[in-house]
Amino acid sequence: MTIATLDLASLLCSRLCHDLLSPVGALTNGLELLAEERDPEMRQKCMELLEQSATSSANKLRFFRLAFGAAGGFGDMVPVAEPRALVDALVAANPRISVAWALADDMLPKAAVKTLLNLALIGIEALVRGGTLDIAGEVRNGATELVIRASGPRIAFDPLVGQALAGTLPAAELSSRTAPAAMLHQLAQGLGGGFQTHVAADALVLGAVLPVR
């Protein structure tokens, strides 16, 4: 294992911890309030807070298990219902974002599913004021083709993420925010694939072509 691989793994762990900090912190606050509160109505509200935080934590862990991890339990092909459920659960916490799916196959290669999840995450983060996330994909001519389109009143896309996807971001400038995109670049490069990115004021389009091996 190279130092670069270790650094990337460390940054991915940092990203995971960062994204889990908020719901786990809310769990802690909810437990503290529950221990001090005696009013039945307030205790019920504490329980609702705990339930929401626990659900959010579990949804993020399941998402990152497949997006970042080895995803043991799956073979080389993954049912598309799995990434669909993970993205839908992640977006459910933000009522301002809707998701539209157009997946032509019942199964996708695991590498394509990891790519889909991470591109979807980039799209979700770009919709700072809400909007629509369109996710399409199919296996054609020996390759998986994916397109993720985030459209809304304001798009926030870090150019460094685009550089990491393209493989042009220097390793010294990698951060926990750009590490998932750098991971995708390495994954696609290993398969002989690549990415395309288009950014406009009201839309972000991310495309990927990944040869099936």
Side-chain angles (χ1 to χ4, degrees), residues 48-188:
E48 292 173 359
L49 172 64
L50 288 170
E51 182 179 359
Q52 292 171 3
S53 300
T55 299
S56 177
S57 299
N59 287 340
K60 288 186 176 184
L61 281 172
R62 283 192 287 265
F63 182 94
F64 287 121
R65 172 177 174 264
L66 187 49
F68 291 176
F74 294 104
D76 292 335
M77 302 292 288
V78 179
V80 296
E82 186 68 22
R84 179 167 182 163
L86 294 173
V87 173
D88 285 344
L90 199 66
V91 171
N94 189 343
R96 298 184 300 170
I97 298 178
S98 60
V99 184
W101 293 89
L103 299 177
D105 304 277
D106 294 330
M107 306 281 285
L108 286 175
K110 185 184 291 186
V113 170
K114 293 176 74 69
T115 301
L116 184 155
L117 291 174
N118 281 280
L119 292 182
L121 183 61
I122 293 172
I124 291 170
E125 292 177 339
L127 296 171
V128 290
R129 293 184 181 173
T132 302
L133 187 70
D134 295 295
I135 301 175
E138 65 175 336
V139 179
R140 184 175 62 175
N141 299 327
T144 305
E145 299 180 2
L146 300 171
V147 177
I148 282 77
R149 184 176 189 273
S151 56
R154 180 169 179 264
I155 297 297
F157 180 66
D158 187 347
L160 295 180
V161 173
Q163 292 179 35
L165 274 177
T168 58
L169 183 66
E173 297 182 23
L174 276 175
S175 66
S176 60
R177 180 172 178 79
T178 56
M183 177 190 68
L184 289 188
H185 170 74
Q186 291 188 6
L187 179 64

Side-chain angles (χ1 to χ4, degrees), residues 1-85:
M1 182 179 291
T2 66
I3 296 298
T5 301
L6 286 171
D7 288 344
L8 182 58
S10 297
L11 290 171
L12 289 172
C13 287
S14 295
R15 172 59 189 268
L16 174 62
C17 292
H18 175 273
D19 282 30
L20 285 174
L21 184 61
S22 179
V24 171
L27 275 173
T28 302
N29 293 336
L31 288 171
E32 291 176 352
L33 290 172
L34 189 63
E36 299 173 357
E37 190 58 60
R38 294 294 178 263
D39 180 75
E41 184 176 348
M42 291 302 298
R43 288 181 64 85
Q44 178 60 32
K45 290 183 178 180
C46 288
M47 291 299 296
E48 292 173 359
L49 172 64
L50 288 170
E51 182 179 359
Q52 292 171 3
S53 300
T55 299
S56 177
S57 299
N59 287 340
K60 288 186 176 184
L61 281 172
R62 283 192 287 265
F63 182 94
F64 287 121
R65 172 177 174 264
L66 187 49
F68 291 176
F74 294 104
D76 292 335
M77 302 292 288
V78 179
V80 296
E82 186 68 22
R84 179 167 182 163

